[in-house]
Amino acid sequence: MRIAVISDIHGNLEAIKTAYLDILERNADNIICLGDLTGYGPYPNEVVDFIREKRILVTLGNYDASVYERKFNYIRDNEINKFCMPWTADRLTKRNIEYLKSLPERMTLKYGRKEICFAHGSYRDINEYLNEDYEKLDEVMKDFFGDVLVCGHTHIPYKKIFGEKLLLNDGSIGKPKIGRPNGTYLILDINNENIKVEFIEFKYDTNKTADAMRKEGLPLSCIEGIMTGIE
């Protein structure tokens, strides 16, 4: 069983289309998305429609929750979000808003005796940043009862081992923070009790996304972030 894990598309249609084709070439059996379909990028409806059309399993992202609630409960109250959150909410169709509202906060799947939990921030909070240097990381994993925890939200891919437990982050499809404009995702190759993890980095047409953002009047700092991979 090969599972591709993606997240943090953030309205970047060019990135998700490229990632999807790349995933097909790598013969993944399933795709799971860890949320944040919307925000920042110029194509919120198109991204949600794409994910729905491909029947991809999705968990709720913090930005998606903020968009349908029109509140800053789950995102930072800064100048970019003050523009991007209401801009996105105003453009989403009622159908897509209802879709975001229907998403679960976490998803747990069993493969043999392995229990894998998929969530946006962490299994206990969609807005918890599980960075590699997070001071509560040991506490989070100690209280985690599964075998593998797969998260997004930080936009930085990594793998970390806690005894017999594994913590993974797939990075970001549409708004990377790796110092390069390339999107990232991961593939879990599950064979009986063995899980092999492969991190994928891919290039896409960033200029096309940036041009669309400029036409929509999205903030320059947001455009620069997507073009450079630096927040």
Side-chain angles (χ1 to χ4, degrees):
M1 173 69 71
R2 288 169 61 80
I3 303 172
V5 183
I6 64 177
S7 74
D8 300 279
I9 304 167
H10 286 297
N12 192 334
L13 184 64
E14 294 304 316
I16 185 56
K17 287 166 63 176
T18 301
Y20 184 77
L21 292 176
D22 192 71
I23 289 168
L24 293 183
E25 289 181 0
R26 297 177 190 274
N27 299 313
D29 298 296
N30 287 304
I31 304 174
I32 294 177
C33 178
L34 307 182
D36 273 8
L37 309 185
T38 65
Y40 307 121
Y43 298 111
N45 279 307
E46 291 84 348
V47 166
V48 175
D49 290 341
F50 184 90
I51 293 295
R52 296 180 68 171
E53 176 190 332
K54 304 303 181 186
R55 298 182 180 275
I56 294 171
L57 295 172
V58 188
T59 64
L60 179 66
N62 65 303
Y63 212 104
D64 300 326
S66 294
V67 164
Y68 73 66
E69 289 191 4
R70 289 180 176 264
K71 295 179 181 178
F72 289 93
N73 293 347
Y74 305 104
I75 58 175
R76 289 172 290 182
D77 187 356
N78 57 29
E79 291 306 310
I80 289 179
N81 287 332
K82 282 178 180 177
F83 183 95
C84 290
M85 188 268 280
W87 183 92
T88 300
D90 287 344
R91 280 154 182 78
L92 278 174
T93 64
K94 182 178 179 180
R95 180 170 180 258
N96 284 339
I97 287 284
E98 291 304 313
Y99 171 75
L100 295 180
K101 287 181 179 180
S102 75
L103 297 178
E105 290 193 7
R106 68 192 65 83
M107 189 183 310
T108 301
L109 302 178
K110 273 201 166 185
Y111 296 90
R113 289 182 294 178
K114 293 290 186 182
E115 186 172 287
I116 307 175
C117 179
F118 301 88
H120 183 71
S122 80
Y123 64 90
R124 59 188 194 178
D125 188 347
I126 62 171
N127 198 31
E128 185 171 28
Y129 283 90
L130 298 188
N131 294 301
E132 284 190 85
D133 58 353
Y134 181 44
E135 60 182 9
K136 295 183 180 180
L137 205 55
D138 288 332
E139 170 193 312
V140 169
M141 294 307 293
K142 180 181 178 181
D143 293 340
F144 175 60
F145 290 105
D147 299 291
V148 184
L149 176 59
V150 191
C151 302
H153 193 40
T154 69
H155 297 211
I156 301 173
Y158 70 84
K159 171 184 176 180
K160 201 161 185 176
I161 299 171
F162 295 79
E164 295 183 354
K165 299 175 185 178
L166 184 61
L167 172 61
L168 301 170
N169 194 300
D170 70 291
S172 171
I173 291 291
K175 195 178 184 296
K177 298 179 183 179
I178 56 174
R180 299 178 298 281
N182 304 333
T184 63
Y185 67 94
L186 64 81
I187 291 181
L188 297 176
D189 196 333
I190 306 169
N191 184 8
N192 296 322
E193 297 302 311
N194 298 315
I195 299 178
K196 180 182 176 183
V197 182
E198 182 180 5
F199 290 94
I200 311 297
E201 182 174 333
F202 65 93
K203 295 182 179 180
Y204 71 97
D205 192 343
T206 53
N207 288 323
K208 191 170 183 180
T209 296
D211 287 344
M213 293 176 76
R214 292 187 190 98
K215 288 178 182 177
E216 294 290 350
L218 290 165
L220 179 59
S221 56
C222 190
I223 298 170
E224 290 175 345
I226 285 178
M227 292 295 289
T228 63
I230 301 172
E231 187 176 26

